[in-house]
Amino acid sequence: MERERALRIYATMNRIRKFEEKAVQLFESNKLRGSVHLYIGEEAIAATVGSRMTDQDYITSTHRGHGHAIAKGATLDRALAELMGKATGYCKGRGGSMHIADLEKGNLGANAIVGGGVPIAVGGALAQKMKGEKHFTVAFFGDGASNQGTVHESMNLASLWKLPIIFLCENNGFGISVPTWQSTSVKDVSVRAVGYDMPGETVDGNDVLAIDAALDRAITRALAGEGPTYLECKTYRWRGHWTGDPEPYRTREEVAAWMERCPIKAFRAYLLKAKLAKKQELDDIEQAADAEMEAATEFALNSPEPDPAQVMDDVFFVG
Ligand SMILES: Cc1ncc(C[n+]2csc(CCOP(=O)(O)OP(=O)(O)O)c2C)c(N)n1
């Protein structure tokens, strides 16, 4: 991998990790309300995807979407402000954790409805195709969402219309408390691609290089007008489904074994071994992420609450 992009991916992974750690801290100290679904352990996927996109390429995201937004160009300060319901957030504090959208950066939005972002992504890809643009869309969704009707309907149309889209399933092993093997008829969800006449591939979602190689094939196909790809990235979420999850459905040992396979540590080891970076450079990147997160926290804590007088702004009425 080329050095500049590799370092960018490393920085993004660290920025996502710091963001998530701070979000849970603020939640536990009652400064951030609502629920938060953490992406810790899954950072390799969003960071690698983001490194291959321009602002004209689109994503749609999920309830576990902070990492996707950051990888697509969200700054930590406005993202955290959104989680805290502040007026300076990406959606003026009206969306919160599960609804960050940033159209300027091509983030068509996170979605609390499981599988809800996928048809929206198909709409984005259809627009790209109709305008004759050389751009593509990535629809992020989970293994739970992979069983939703919306996802299957979306895949059918995208294949029929040869849209420039990648259906990217982040299979983290669970849908809330239900292990994937108890909810899903196949071991690798990407085999379902056959039903829609598109290529399907399953890769190690903790391995930046494996994700990147598969993305390369999928993006080439999308931009050549050949249609969609189903890409499954197998990973694991280190934290509970959300911040209040007592996690009775798995053992500490299982979590610990996956933490050994930390995607950030693994990519750091690769960068050093391939001599793409020196130890000091990587330490500097980590410290820069810490400093950025500290500044973002100050920004979000000191930002104003939305003005109640503006409650009806951005509300659309039909009729
Ligand atoms: C249509 C719909 N059904 C159910 C829910 C409740 N729900 C929220 S998250 C979730 C699990 C989703 O699992 P998965 O798609 O694997 O994503 P993960 O949480 O593992 O990232 C469910 C069932 C919902 N939000 N929307």
Side-chain angles (χ1 to χ4, degrees):
M1 180 179 287
E2 62 278 21
R3 178 181 138 86
E4 186 276 327
R5 196 161 62 86
L7 293 188
R8 207 153 27 94
I9 292 174
Y10 190 67
T12 305
M13 290 168 88
N14 275 283
R15 292 171 67 237
I16 296 172
R17 178 72 58 95
K18 307 287 179 198
F19 184 89
E20 297 292 64
E21 286 172 349
K22 181 57 79 177
V24 72
Q25 246 181 41
L26 291 167
F27 178 85
E28 283 167 357
S29 56
N30 241 344
K31 295 200 171 88
L32 192 160
R33 295 181 188 86
S35 65
V36 178
H37 302 81
L38 297 169
Y39 193 65
I40 297 178
E42 308 185 28
E43 297 92 343
I45 308 167
T48 310
V49 171
S51 79
R52 283 189 163 267
M53 298 186 108
T54 66
D55 293 351
Q56 287 71 45
D57 297 311
Y58 296 141
I59 64 163
T60 59
S61 170
T62 70
H63 56 285
R64 200 175 302 288
H66 314 152
H68 306 146
I70 293 167
K72 198 68 179 69
T75 57
L76 304 187
D77 48 7
R78 289 189 64 202
L80 188 63
E82 187 58 42
L83 264 62
M84 297 182 76
K86 297 296 184 83
T88 52
Y90 274 101
C91 305
K92 305 180 190 171
R94 290 156 185 243
S97 161
M98 288 191 275
H99 302 96
I100 296 180
D102 181 12
L103 298 188
E104 279 175 25
K105 296 283 179 192
N107 178 357
L108 303 186
N111 205 310
I113 298 169
V114 170
V118 181
I120 296 171
V122 171
L126 177 61
Q128 288 169 327
K129 179 166 176 151
M130 290 175 78
K131 289 181 185 165
E133 294 174 358
K134 278 280 171 211
H135 295 296
F136 66 98
T137 298
V138 173
F140 289 103
F141 58 96
D143 46 284
S146 74
N147 298 318
Q148 289 287 81
T150 51
V151 173
H152 293 272
E153 293 166 45
S154 299
M155 288 181 176
N156 180 57
L157 277 186
S159 179
L160 189 67
W161 294 340
K162 296 207 179 316
L163 300 184
I165 183 167
I166 301 167
F167 294 101
L168 199 151
C169 177
E170 300 178 303
N171 183 346
N172 62 15
F174 298 94
I176 307 188
S177 54
V178 181
T180 312
W181 65 267
Q182 278 183 352
S183 65
T184 304
S185 59
V186 290
K187 195 168 132 287
D188 297 330
V189 295
S190 69
V191 302
R192 291 176 173 166
V194 173
Y196 302 104
D197 192 24
M198 62 171 132
E201 208 175 328
T202 293
V203 298
D204 179 349
N206 283 18
D207 179 348
V208 168
L209 297 181
I211 300 164
D212 196 52
L215 275 176
D216 193 52
R217 291 183 276 278
I219 294 170
T220 304
R221 177 176 151 81
L223 296 182
E226 291 166 10
T229 298
Y230 197 158
L231 176 56
E232 176 187 22
C233 297
K234 290 220 162 126
T235 183
Y236 195 83
R237 66 164 157 73
W238 291 13
R239 302 298 185 107
H241 169 66
W242 73 294
T243 27
D245 179 359
E247 301 176 59
Y249 50 85
R250 61 183 184 181
T251 63
R252 296 256 166 256
E253 291 72 26
E254 180 178 303
V255 179
W258 275 92
M259 287 172 75
E260 284 297 308
R261 300 192 43 215
C262 173
I264 300 183
K265 265 197 214 149
F267 195 50
R268 182 183 166 101
Y270 160 76
L271 291 171
L272 292 172
K273 192 158 173 243
K275 298 205 187 316
L276 283 169
K278 298 204 169 65
K279 188 176 169 302
Q280 186 61 50
E281 280 177 295
L282 299 180
D283 292 347
D284 289 349
I285 287 175
E286 287 167 34
Q287 277 159 21
D290 267 326
E292 187 185 349
M293 197 60 236
E294 279 315 306
T297 308
E298 282 303 302
F299 172 86
L301 285 170
N302 295 323
S303 286
E305 303 281 340
D307 178 357
Q310 291 169 0
V311 72
M312 297 311 281
D313 289 1
D314 307 319
V315 176
F316 299 95
F317 295 95
V318 179

